[in-house]
Amino acid sequence: MAASTRAQVISLYRTMLRESSGFPSYNYRTYAVRRVRDAFRANSKEEDPKAVARLIEEGQRTAELIHRQVAVGKMYESQKMVLE
């Protein structure tokens, strides 16, 4: 993986974790963080540049989706659970 691609992937990973941590609900938050970590771990061995580019594009779309869902979740926030 090229250095610029590696930096792009790391930046995307951090962005997705940061966005996932914004969910107001504990259950959604832990689920989203776990899914992001699992997805990046599962694809960490990918070497094909085209596949890596496709995965980065998919990750960017997912980050945008997470951002929208966090915004909607904050609009209709419920009471905090005891765990939070």
Side-chain angles (χ1 to χ4, degrees):
M1 187 179 325
S4 63
T5 306
R6 182 174 172 79
Q8 211 176 3
V9 169
I10 291 171
S11 173
L12 179 62
Y13 179 70
R14 287 180 180 166
T15 301
M16 290 179 77
L17 282 180
R18 194 175 318 113
E19 289 292 333
S20 297
S21 298
F23 276 107
S25 171
Y26 173 79
N27 290 330
Y28 288 132
R29 186 171 50 247
T30 55
Y31 175 74
V33 169
R34 187 176 63 240
R35 285 293 304 261
V36 168
R37 287 185 178 147
D38 291 346
F40 274 84
R41 256 189 224 121
N43 295 309
S44 66
K45 302 296 182 201
E46 189 63 55
E47 294 291 329
D48 181 32
K50 289 183 181 180
V52 171
R54 181 184 54 78
L55 288 168
I56 289 173
E57 198 173 298
E58 181 181 329
Q60 289 169 341
R61 283 195 308 269
T62 304
E64 292 169 5
L65 180 124
I66 292 170
H67 181 74
R68 287 192 306 269
Q69 287 302 117
V70 168
V72 169
K74 286 183 179 178
M75 281 186 229
Y76 301 104
E77 199 168 344
S78 61
Q79 291 181 348
K80 298 247 182 219
M81 295 174 51
V82 175
L83 296 172
E84 299 176 275

